[in-house]
Each structure stands twice: as structure tokens, then as C-alpha cells.
Amino acid sequence: GQNIDQPTEMTATEGAIVQINCTYQTSGFNGLFWYQQHAGEAPTFLSYNVLDGLEEKGRFSSFLSRSKGYSYLLLKELQMKDSASYLCAVADSNYQLIWGAGTKLIIKP
Amino acid sequence: DVKVTQSSRYLVKRTGEKVFLECVQDMDHENMFWYRQDPGLGLRLIYFSYDVKMKEKGDIPEGYSVSREKKERFSLILESASTNQTSMYLCASSRTSAEIYNEQFFGPGTRLTVL
């Protein structure tokens, strides 16, 4: 079967760095997405990786290793507004998105 | 600015009622999707559409149907609502291109409660 695994919840301190991991097993691979979802709101796109390596975008970076079926989202200089759920999704061989359950990130002052 | 809108943010219906959830996008996207989101579970695809009047079943289509008469509008129908359909419903759209990358844009969601 297809599955995406990510931690259910993480806690970090304002100003610190946090890494959210995602492992996947899917039928085919056409890219991995990270979305951010604040409570009660729609998911919004953060990043897309299709090749191995690190993609940096401001305070957020995303890493992919296709051979290991592994990705992480790195958030630097954490701010209170970063408190949200972070969703990992993989596009399979049919370009359908398989979604993880999301990681709820709690930022403490 | 890209926009996906859904007809209601909150909806309360009774068991057995027919329920219509509407979604409209103004980006001229070919693809539209309906998901449901429940605590502890990932987004689960109910139905999707790649073109007008075209529909494909997702992972959990039972108890649902859809309609896409116009490119910008994708409707989700619960023929006879049941309590296990209480959930957050999210509509999304994306464009079709020769590229692999197809970011999905989401609407604000409809929180449906079936009593």
C-alpha cells in the first residue's frame, strides 16, 4: 500500500530551529510537496521537491532523498505565527497526491 | 490573486438530507478536487475532475457524487447525509501542464455536521 509517515506533534521555542521529517512509500514518485495549514484554514503551498537535495526559501528549507524515501522541512528563526500543521504529500505515478496526516507544530515563547 | 471559494464555511444538516457543497475557482484551472479532512488522518480524495463533465473516483467515493457542468465550478453532493460524513470538506484546483509540478490551491473549507 501507499503511506506517508510524519510525527503527529512537535514543540519548539520561538527563535529556534525545527526539523519536521516525512517518510514515504508510494507507487511511483513525481515529487513531494509541503503545505502549511493554520487551524481552521486551508492548506497553503510551501515547497516542492522532485530532485534530491535541499531547496531553500527564506526561513524555510525542504530536503529530499528519493533513495531513502525521506524528506524534511526545516524551519529557522521560528516565529509564533509558524504554529500550524505541516502536511507532507507525494505525487504518485498517476500524479495523484498521497497525503500524510500532518504534523502539528507548537511554538512556545 | 488566485482564488478558490466554497459556498459555506459551516453547515449543519440532518441524517438523510441531500447536501450540496459548491466550489468555484477563478484561475481557469482544468483540474478540481474534493477532499475530506478528519483528525489524525491525511487528506482523503473523494472525487476529482480533469475537465468539464468529466469525473473520476478518488479513494473514498462511496456516499458521494459530483458534478462539473462548467470549468470553474465543481459540486460535491451527498445524496443522503449520514453522521459518518461529518467532516471538513476541502476543494482544490490545479492547472494541467507538461510539467510535473502541479501545485494545488485550496478553498477555505466547509465544516459539515450531520446530526
Side-chain angles (χ1 to χ4, degrees):
Chain A
Q2 306 198 98
N3 69 286
I4 311 286
D5 288 317
Q6 47 182 135
T8 303
E9 187 174 296
M10 298 182 71
T11 302
T13 305
E14 191 177 15
I17 299 173
V18 71
Q19 178 176 309
I20 302 173
N21 296 326
C22 171
T23 58
Y24 63 89
Q25 288 179 305
T26 56
S27 56
F29 180 84
N30 280 302
L32 186 144
F33 295 81
W34 284 97
Y35 280 77
Q36 180 189 60
Q37 185 178 25
H38 284 101
E41 298 182 11
T44 54
F45 170 79
L46 285 177
S47 67
Y48 172 74
N49 294 68
V50 67
L51 299 176
D52 290 349
L54 187 68
E55 296 274 347
E56 296 187 76
K57 193 186 292 186
R59 293 190 299 115
F60 292 10
S61 303
S62 56
F63 171 83
L64 174 67
S65 169
R66 288 172 296 170
S67 63
K68 295 182 179 178
Y70 168 71
S71 172
Y72 66 73
L73 181 69
L74 191 72
L75 290 74
K76 303 176 185 176
E77 301 168 16
L78 286 170
Q79 302 174 9
M80 298 303 293
K81 67 178 182 179
D82 297 330
S83 292
S85 289
Y86 292 85
L87 313 180
C88 174
V90 172
D92 68 8
S93 55
N94 295 318
Y95 294 94
Q96 295 306 314
L97 288 185
I98 312 301
W99 294 83
T103 298
K104 182 178 182 180
L105 177 63
I106 300 168
I107 309 296
K108 295 187 174 179
Chain B
D1 197 19
V2 297
K3 206 162 185 180
V4 180
T5 57
Q6 295 183 228
S7 49
S8 305
R9 290 300 304 270
Y10 301 93
L11 209 53
V12 179
K13 295 292 181 180
R14 297 209 174 272
T15 302
E17 281 192 80
K18 190 168 186 176
V19 183
F20 293 87
L21 302 182
E22 302 285 335
C23 175
V24 177
Q25 50 96 2
D26 65 359
M27 297 165 281
D28 202 35
H29 283 172
E30 293 81 8
N31 310 316
M32 296 189 75
F33 307 83
W34 274 107
Y35 293 93
R36 62 178 285 175
Q37 186 175 34
D38 300 289
L41 300 176
L43 293 173
R44 291 183 291 167
L45 183 63
I46 304 171
Y47 268 95
F48 61 97
S49 169
Y50 286 146
D51 201 352
V52 176
K53 295 192 185 293
M54 179 273 179
K55 59 186 179 184
E56 291 285 344
K57 293 180 180 179
D59 299 320
I60 51 165
E62 297 78 19
Y64 303 94
S65 62
V66 290
S67 171
R68 193 164 180 204
E69 297 296 319
K70 294 184 178 181
K71 189 176 185 180
E72 66 271 19
R73 188 180 298 269
F74 193 34
S75 303
L76 180 69
I77 303 148
L78 288 67
E79 295 290 341
S80 178
S82 63
T83 55
N84 63 12
Q85 292 178 310
T86 291
S87 187
M88 170 69 86
Y89 289 88
L90 290 166
C91 174
S93 71
S94 70
R95 63 186 176 90
T96 295
S97 70
E99 302 164 357
I100 296 173
Y101 168 42
N102 265 331
E103 173 192 349
Q104 292 187 13
F105 294 86
F106 285 84
T110 296
R111 184 165 295 281
L112 172 67
T113 302
V114 182
L115 302 175

